[in-house]
Structure formats: structure tokens, C-alpha cells
Amino acid sequence: MERLTSPPRLMIVSDLDDTMVEHRNDNDNHSLLRFNSLWEEAYRHDSLLVFSTGRAKTMYKKLRKERPLLTPDVIVTSVGTEISYGKSMVPDENWVEIMNNKWNRGIVEEETSKFPELTLQAETEQMPHKLSFHVDKSKVKEVTKELYQRGGIALDVLPKGGGKGQALAYLLKKLNTEGKLPLNTLVCGDSGNDTELFTIPNVYGVMLLEWYAENGKDNSNIIHASERCAGGIIEAIGHFKLGPKLSPRDVSDFLQCKSDNVNPGHAVVEFFLFYERWRRGEIENCEAYTKSLKASCDPAGVFVHPSGAEKSLRDTIDELGKYHGDKKDKKFRVWTDQVLATETTHGTWIVKLDKWEQTGSERKCCTTTVKFTSKENEGFVWENVQQTWSEESEVKDDSNWII
């Protein structure tokens, strides 16, 4: 969060399973990828993304390997009992101390062992400040009379003061102290452990399943999305007029789309979406696109391949021609993450990002740095592109990497 010098325009706080991530009807991750491109193009530079999940860190990392999740600015795990920051997931030690207050795990284990109705969940779900159980839905009320924590078929026992809502309240207080209280906050969830998020004052909310009727129908700041999962989050952004709502993935022709965005990060997001569509064969193989791309490259512009080899940017664009449609019907997707642009001198910009490719279950990632110059009547001109293999990349195959 240190990268922000002023209050963020928007902070999105979202649950993951069946909220940001669709598990049942979206094997191609279309909804999630729509959100990703919108966030990276229009929001990453001046807003905050927070994931708030019941998953422990290990299970969250597992989900990241399975789905094209963006890197959040803040990750709240284990039902609000852990708060971490950035790509390195640096823990909030002050929050750890708050969770430790009046929490005795041994006593919790002793008391819960008295209930035969409770069955411990997998070891991966047990954390220092969270014990998780399975419980028959018909026995929930009986058990929770004494345990105070309500669930459905799953039940979590947390320290008093823990939970997703308390974690969000803590974050907002911290941001306010730093002079960075978000101008708008949107919370997103679909199940019981998300309910607390909607009780925080002055936030907008989008509920994504049936329980909206019981929890939010009389609150004008909470809507029930008609679209599923990440699509519902985009819907809420538009409904509450929190900022741009058109995802680049919903734009059919970038040549006809004139952006008023003065941040060159949008040019990178759109280029790599074009690159995906080109290789999937979804763009007609015509000269108009490549001509426009080459015109936006400096004649002396250089691309540095992950292997270290250098070649002309314009030659690289020409080379794309032979790859048109080579990934058709191969479940090929491309997405950008952590797109951040910095104006180093007047008219000169550096954009840094992670660029991901996935074909089937194989995923590759390159850390990418792009230098732009802003020229009158020409817009942003690509001067230099350098790529190196990311530590997160599962495959590092120079021979099959184009750009």
C-alpha cells in the first residue's frame, strides 16, 4: 500500500471461492479474466485490491496455481485471522497481537472436543487462530448455543475480535490513520462468513447468492448481482458508479476504441489481450492491426527476450504474423498482473508488470518492463521491452516464448 501517495479511488474487498472465482460454470475463467483486465487497465495504479478468504495461506497459494488470480495488495486469510501485504505476503504483526489477546487455543480444543457433532476439517484448514470443523446442518443451532459461532455445514472457531468484518474495520482504521482512507469501498461475498463485511459502515456491497434476501434487500448500498462471481463485481462497479465498468475483454475492436486514460498501463493490457486473440485466431488476419502496432513502436525500439537475445520491436510485431491462430482450440489464455506505470521524467514512462500465458494446464510468466515516450499527436510510443522469467513461472521455455 506504500505505493499510494493519496487516498485510493476504490478499494475492492472480495471473497474468493464462488465470489471472485467461479468453480461450477466457468472452466475457461472468462468472468475472472474480464475482471482482471478491467482492474489492471483502469484501477491498479490508484486503487486497492483485497482478497478476504476463509482459505489458509497454503490453500490460497494452491488456488493461485489453479486459477488466473491477480496479486492483491492485501490478502486476508483464515476467515479474517491473518492479514498480509503484497506479493511477498508480509504478515501484519500488530494484527497477530490483536488475535493473541484473550485467545487460548488449548482451551478451545478442549471445549470443542466435548461436542461429538463436530468433526475437524483437514489439517490444512487448522491455523494458530482458527479451528475449523464439519457439522451437520441440523445440529448447528444446538452446537452454536455454546460456541457462539454460526455456520452451515462448516464451522470456524476464531478469537473474539477476529473475522472478515473485524479485519476490514482494522484495515480501514489503519488506512485512515495514514491519510489513505479509500474514497469508496466495495465488499463482495456469497456465504455466511462474508456477512460481517456488509455490516461495516459506509461501504457498498454486492451479494452473489440466495442469502441476499435475508441480509441485504432493505439496504440501498447492497445489491444482489444478476451476473455470477467476478462478473457480478463488475456489475456492482457500474451500479454504484464507482469508476470505469467496461472491461477490455468486452471491447471487440481496439482500433475503434479511443481511451482517455493518461496512464500507459492501459496500452500494455490491451496489447497482450490483442496478442491472446491473435494466437487464438479470434482476430481476422489482416494488416490493419499489425500496421497500427508497428506505428506505435519507435523505429529503433528494442525487445529483449527472456533468453537475453535482442531484436527490433517492429521485427517482433512482423514475426507475430506466422503465429496467427496457432493456439486455436487449445485453451490458451494471457493475462497481465501488477501493471504499474511511473513517469520517470516528463513524457517518459516505465511500466512494470507480470505477463502470464497458459496453454491447458501449463503456465508461464515473465516479469516485463516497458519504456514509453509520450509524443504529441502520436500518443504513447513503445521504446523498449525487456522480459525475464518470473520466479513464479512453472515453465521457463525460451524456445516457445514470443513476447
Side-chain angles (χ1 to χ4, degrees):
M1 298 190 292
E2 294 175 354
R3 63 183 172 78
L4 296 175
T5 58
S6 59
R9 173 168 48 129
L10 174 64
M11 182 166 78
I12 287 184
V13 182
S14 178
D15 175 46
L16 290 177
D17 297 294
D18 296 316
T19 300
M20 182 64 74
V21 179
E22 168 71 85
H23 286 291
R24 286 173 286 179
N25 302 307
D26 191 11
N27 292 330
D28 199 32
N29 298 301
H30 179 67
S31 179
L32 179 56
L33 289 167
R34 285 181 62 224
F35 174 83
N36 288 0
S37 60
L38 173 61
W39 186 261
E40 295 299 331
E41 180 190 56
Y43 292 96
R44 173 71 79 172
H45 64 288
D46 65 358
S47 300
L48 290 175
L49 180 62
V50 181
F51 291 156
S52 185
T53 177
R55 287 177 177 247
K57 286 183 180 179
T58 52
M59 299 306 291
Y60 162 68
K61 291 176 181 178
K62 181 176 183 290
L63 183 65
R64 277 186 62 87
K65 291 183 177 181
E66 296 169 351
R67 301 287 181 146
L69 282 173
L70 296 180
T71 301
D73 299 285
V74 186
I75 175 70
V76 179
T77 50
S78 298
V79 199
T81 59
E82 299 173 331
I83 300 176
S84 305
Y85 301 98
K87 187 174 183 178
S88 300
M89 298 181 68
V90 178
D92 188 315
E93 297 297 344
N94 187 55
W95 186 245
V96 173
E97 291 183 14
I98 292 173
M99 291 296 96
N100 282 334
N101 185 37
K102 296 182 181 181
W103 168 257
N104 188 315
R105 186 182 176 86
I107 292 177
V108 175
E109 290 174 341
E110 179 181 347
E111 292 300 313
T112 53
S113 69
K114 298 174 182 178
F115 294 84
E117 301 91 342
L118 298 179
T119 304
L120 278 169
Q121 293 183 27
E123 185 63 31
T124 54
E125 296 304 319
Q126 313 305 327
M127 302 304 294
H129 298 104
K130 177 175 77 79
L131 275 76
S132 297
F133 302 87
H134 294 295
V135 57
D136 188 277
K137 206 167 188 177
S138 64
K139 304 287 181 64
V140 170
K141 289 186 178 180
E142 177 185 345
V143 173
T144 53
K145 283 181 181 179
E146 298 184 38
L147 291 178
Y148 302 106
Q149 272 293 4
R150 190 161 201 166
I153 59 171
L155 183 146
D156 300 312
V157 181
L158 315 173
K160 186 176 181 179
K164 291 186 176 184
Q166 293 299 318
L168 173 56
Y170 170 84
L171 283 172
L172 289 171
K173 182 178 180 180
K174 181 174 182 174
L175 287 165
N176 190 40
T177 300
E178 297 172 355
K180 298 178 182 179
L181 185 68
L183 301 181
N184 290 295
T185 298
L186 174 67
V187 299
C188 320
D190 77 305
S191 63
N193 67 19
D194 300 317
T195 308
E196 289 183 1
L197 293 172
F198 299 92
T199 66
I200 303 301
N202 304 315
V203 304
Y204 296 101
V206 54
M207 293 183 177
L208 296 164
L209 285 179
E210 300 80 14
W211 57 290
Y212 166 81
E214 298 179 5
N215 295 275
K217 64 179 180 180
D218 297 323
N219 187 335
S220 62
N221 279 354
I222 299 175
I223 66 165
H224 184 198
S226 58
E227 293 194 47
R228 292 189 61 82
C229 298
I233 298 174
I234 296 174
E235 179 185 348
I237 291 173
H239 176 87
F240 294 119
K241 298 179 173 58
L242 302 178
K245 63 179 181 178
L246 179 63
S247 170
R249 285 188 176 270
D250 297 330
V251 176
S252 59
D253 188 347
F254 293 141
L255 292 180
Q256 302 301 318
C257 180
K258 302 297 183 182
S259 173
D260 58 1
N261 195 330
V262 297
N263 186 312
H266 79 279
V268 176
V269 174
E270 291 183 356
F271 168 76
F272 283 118
L273 181 53
F274 158 79
Y275 171 84
E276 176 197 277
R277 290 176 177 174
W278 183 266
R279 297 193 67 184
R280 285 169 60 94
E282 296 173 348
I283 293 176
E284 183 181 352
N285 192 1
C286 64
E287 294 182 358
Y289 283 90
T290 52
K291 183 178 179 180
S292 174
L293 284 170
K294 287 176 70 174
S296 66
C297 294
D298 186 276
V302 173
F303 168 53
V304 182
H305 191 270
S307 65
E310 296 185 9
K311 53 185 174 180
S312 160
L313 267 177
R314 292 191 170 185
D315 288 347
T316 302
I317 299 300
D318 283 336
E319 191 177 339
L320 278 179
K322 66 183 182 183
Y323 294 100
H324 182 262
D326 72 319
K327 296 291 187 179
K328 187 176 182 180
D329 302 324
K330 292 185 179 180
K331 294 185 177 180
F332 176 72
R333 289 297 186 188
V334 176
W335 66 96
T336 52
D337 184 22
Q338 301 182 95
V339 179
L340 293 173
T342 303
E343 189 172 19
T344 54
T345 59
H346 180 68
T348 301
W349 293 78
I350 298 295
V351 180
K352 294 185 177 181
L353 65 143
D354 283 339
K355 180 252 180 171
W356 288 86
E357 284 187 14
Q358 180 164 352
T359 304
S361 61
E362 180 182 281
R363 305 209 312 179
K364 298 185 285 187
C365 178
C366 268
T367 297
T368 303
T369 302
V370 185
K371 179 183 177 183
F372 287 97
T373 54
S374 179
K375 298 182 179 180
E376 190 174 353
N377 300 323
E378 293 184 48
F380 292 112
V381 177
W382 299 63
E383 297 276 353
N384 184 279
V385 179
Q386 295 190 39
Q387 293 187 317
T388 57
W389 290 112
S390 166
E391 293 180 0
E392 288 190 280
S393 188
E394 299 166 7
V395 179
K396 300 179 180 180
D397 185 350
D398 289 337
S399 62
N400 293 324
W401 189 264
I402 302 172
I403 188 169

